[in-house]
Amino acid sequence: MKSMAKALVLAIGVGGCASVSRNEYGVAKSNAVTEVSQAFVAKPKWKIAVLPFKNSGKNGTASDIADTLSTHLMGMGFRVVERTQLEAVFSELKLNMSGAISASELKRAGEMAGVDLLVFGTASYEYVPEHTYMAPKINSYTGKYSGQVGEATGAYHTLDGETAKFVDVESGEILINSFCNEKPRSKSFSLDIANSIQSKLISLGVLKKPAR
């Protein structure tokens, strides 16, 4: 038991220190798969808004995943409208950000938010039945990791995939479709998706290789 705890502590402590393996485009390798339409290649559109991801396998939406993906997309040149602005638009149009949206509503929302593309995402979760497992201990006063691990018992949902679709607000066409259903090579599914999109756009001549 002590050896298991020690291994977990070491894994947590050094997880961010591993060297990054890059592909021929100078981008961190990814297990995500990305498809880009010829319409985007011919006329790239960079002004986007990312909606909260729908959860599959459990209730609710995942705004934190949308925010994480937004940060990574901004790093490669996309201009992302703040979610609060998007929420105001959807509220004015009486639309549910996690519900279905018609072509006319899509166009209107895009016009009001001042974006070319709306990004719709899905976060897929797997339910893990109640069992005993090793987990990091959280300091009850600070709410932060205490540096220790211990046994915990319970059931939980684990994230095992993400999908992001970039939809043209004018045509309703999906211009970019990216998904990751394997264990990510980076620290998150969102980062794997962003790295895959960046690599694909570089390969198509839409983006330049990052400076090293």
Side-chain angles (χ1 to χ4, degrees):
M1 184 66 70
K2 288 183 178 179
S3 61
M4 289 178 62
K6 183 177 180 181
L8 185 53
V9 170
L10 288 174
I12 293 171
V14 304
C17 299
S19 60
V20 176
S21 178
R22 299 184 182 275
N23 57 26
E24 65 268 37
Y25 306 113
V27 179
K29 291 183 178 180
S30 164
N31 280 336
V33 177
T34 297
E35 300 170 343
V36 178
S37 73
Q38 284 302 313
F40 186 90
V41 176
K43 188 179 180 181
K45 297 183 177 183
W46 303 103
K47 192 75 177 291
I48 68 173
V50 183
L51 279 76
F53 276 38
K54 289 183 180 180
N55 288 338
S56 174
K58 74 172 188 177
N59 295 328
T61 58
S63 297
D64 55 335
I65 293 178
D67 291 342
T68 300
L69 180 61
S70 296
T71 299
H72 296 319
L73 292 174
M74 286 190 289
M76 74 176 75
F78 283 96
R79 300 191 300 277
V80 182
V81 168
E82 290 188 8
R83 182 156 47 88
T84 53
Q85 181 179 338
L86 187 63
E87 289 172 346
V89 169
F90 270 66
S91 176
E92 184 172 340
L93 294 175
K94 295 180 172 57
L95 298 176
N96 186 342
M97 294 184 74
S98 62
I101 183 171
S102 68
S104 60
E105 291 169 337
L106 177 72
K107 184 175 181 179
R108 182 63 177 147
E111 289 174 347
M112 291 182 64
V115 299
D116 303 311
L117 307 174
L118 284 179
V119 181
F120 296 84
T122 301
S124 301
Y125 288 87
E126 179 183 358
Y127 176 72
V128 180
E130 183 170 316
H131 66 291
T132 299
Y133 56 95
M134 299 300 295
K137 289 186 177 181
I138 305 299
N139 186 300
S140 58
Y141 293 102
T142 65
K144 297 180 179 180
Y145 172 55
S146 66
Q148 298 178 320
V149 294
E151 286 190 349
T153 301
Y156 56 86
H157 290 85
T158 179
L159 181 64
D160 62 2
E162 291 177 16
T163 300
K165 299 178 185 293
F166 294 58
V167 180
D168 190 320
V169 299
E170 287 289 334
S171 66
E173 179 184 358
I174 298 174
L175 300 187
I176 299 175
N177 181 32
S178 187
F179 62 90
C180 185
N181 295 326
E182 298 182 32
K183 181 180 179 180
R185 298 188 65 153
S186 64
K187 62 183 179 181
S188 69
F189 287 102
S190 297
L191 183 52
D192 257 38
I193 285 176
N195 288 337
S196 177
I197 292 173
Q198 185 176 14
S199 296
K200 188 70 173 181
L201 294 181
I202 292 172
S203 74
L204 294 170
V206 178
L207 287 177
K208 294 181 179 180
K209 290 178 65 172
R212 293 298 303 276

